[in-house]
Structure formats: structure tokens, C-alpha cells
């Protein structure tokens, strides 16, 4: 069974957690009143999502980390751009996410909505089963205008 987003629950039957991360939504854990943690598959999926959405020079002291895909979103939608997006996503995940074993990266363009859909299939080390993260890549200006028109209705 595949997991489809970074918020889904683990299906792991192990009693101890292999990977933990802070929840960047800063949701409060009702039992401990502390910031909740992401564990195992959720932690790796959130890391995958953060890596592909990060531009180079965004992280202090680590300017090399990031896929830098926003620059390609303003290019014409061609098969070459699609392949460049695929290569950049694959490179950043293979280089900076050692917990994930990449299986496939599929980028598809949607010319009507001016966006790309990136589907990343990977295995988490030490956890059985394939995981899938799907992210829609849009230009910021288009997203901003889309939100304005939706709010004016």
C-alpha cells in the first residue's frame, strides 16, 4: 500500500522509531503540549518535499542544498524543461536525502493550468513498502493571482 502525502500515518509495525523530525507546521501534541514530531515515513516524506521546494542559497550556511526548480518554472513548457526538472529533483534527493532510496521521478506538464506535477516514488531505508509524494509545481505569480481571484468570488 502506498502513502500519498507527508501527513499520512505510518503503517510500520516496528515498536521503535527509526527517524524523527520536527513538524514544521508547529502543531501541538495534545498529550505533551510540545511541538509534535514526524516519525519514520512521514519524516522522510516531509524532507523530500522540503528539498524539492528549496532553492539554492535559501539555507543559511548551506547554499548548495536545494533543487532550484523555481527558475525552471518560468521557462517555456517543453520536454527539455520537463527533463531538467526531473534531473534536478533526482539529483537533490540522491545527494541530500540518504534515508530515501529513489525509485522513480515523474514530472508531467499541465499547460492549461501552467503547472507541473512531480511524482516521486521511493523506499525508506529499514521500512518496507514504496512511498509516493506528489507535488504540484507552480509559478508564484500564477499561484498568487489564482488566490486573489478565488478570494474575490
Amino acid at each position: 500500500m502506498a502513502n500519498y502525502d507527508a501527513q499520512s500515518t505510518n503503517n510500520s509495525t516496528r515498536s521503535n522509531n527509526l527517524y524523527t523530525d520536527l513538524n514544521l507546521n508547529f502543531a501541538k501534541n495534545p498529550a505533551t503540549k510540545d511541538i509534535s514530531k514526524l516519525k519514520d515515513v512521514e519524516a522522510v516524506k516531509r524532507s523530500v518535499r522540503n528539498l524539492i521546494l528549496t532553492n539554492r542559497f535559501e539555507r543559511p550556511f548551506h547554499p548548495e542544498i536545494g533543487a532550484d526548480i523555481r527558475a525552471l518554472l518560468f521557462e517555456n513548457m517543453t520536454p527539455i524543461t520537463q527533463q531538467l526538472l526531473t534531473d534536478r529533483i533526482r539529483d537533490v534527493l540522491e545527494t541530500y536525502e540518504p534515508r530515501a532510496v529513489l525509485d522513480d521521478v515523474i514530472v508531467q506538464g499541465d499547460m492549461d493550468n501552467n503547472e507541473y506535477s512531480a511524482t516521486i516514488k521511493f523506499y525508506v531505508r529499514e521500512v518496507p513498502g514504496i512511498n509516493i509524494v506528489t507535488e504540484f509545481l507552480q509559478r508564484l505569480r500564477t499561484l498568487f493571482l489564482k488566490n486573489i481571484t478565488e478570494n474575490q468570488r
Side-chain angles (χ1 to χ4, degrees):
M1 184 158 97
N3 294 320
Y4 289 102
D5 87 345
Q7 300 289 334
S8 65
T9 59
N10 282 338
N11 293 328
S12 177
T13 58
R14 291 180 294 115
S15 61
N16 58 349
N17 295 314
L18 190 59
Y19 307 117
T20 57
D21 252 338
L22 288 178
N23 187 349
L24 295 181
N25 291 337
F26 297 106
K28 185 166 54 170
N29 185 334
T32 63
K33 307 291 187 209
D34 199 4
I35 296 174
S36 63
K37 296 177 186 173
L38 297 175
K39 298 174 182 155
D40 292 340
V41 175
E42 295 112 355
V44 177
K45 287 180 3 180
R46 178 63 61 94
S47 176
V48 165
R49 182 177 181 271
N50 287 342
L51 281 171
I52 65 171
L53 294 179
T54 301
N55 281 330
R56 290 189 182 113
F57 298 99
E58 275 187 8
R59 293 192 181 185
F61 308 108
H62 290 286
E64 72 281 0
I65 297 176
D68 210 21
I69 60 172
R70 281 189 213 137
L72 291 174
L73 295 179
F74 287 95
E75 297 294 328
N76 291 332
M77 293 184 85
T78 63
I80 295 171
T81 306
Q82 193 168 316
Q83 185 61 43
L84 284 171
L85 284 169
T86 302
D87 292 344
R88 285 190 183 181
I89 291 171
R90 182 177 297 280
D91 288 344
V92 76
L93 294 178
E94 288 175 347
T95 306
Y96 297 108
E97 186 48 77
R99 302 175 292 182
V101 178
L102 205 54
D103 183 49
D104 197 11
V105 176
I106 302 166
V107 175
Q108 296 175 333
D110 182 6
M111 293 188 78
D112 293 336
N113 293 323
N114 238 4
E115 67 184 12
Y116 288 95
S117 169
T119 303
I120 299 113
K121 298 178 183 179
F122 63 94
Y123 295 93
V124 177
R125 294 187 193 279
E126 311 279 334
V127 178
I130 193 163
N131 298 285
I132 300 172
V133 173
T134 300
E135 189 65 38
F136 293 98
L137 310 172
Q138 295 180 325
R139 298 179 197 174
L140 293 177
R141 294 180 193 157
T142 305
L143 181 62
F144 179 69
L145 293 175
K146 186 184 284 188
N147 286 339
I148 288 175
T149 56
E150 288 175 1
N151 291 336
Q152 291 177 352
R153 291 182 188 170

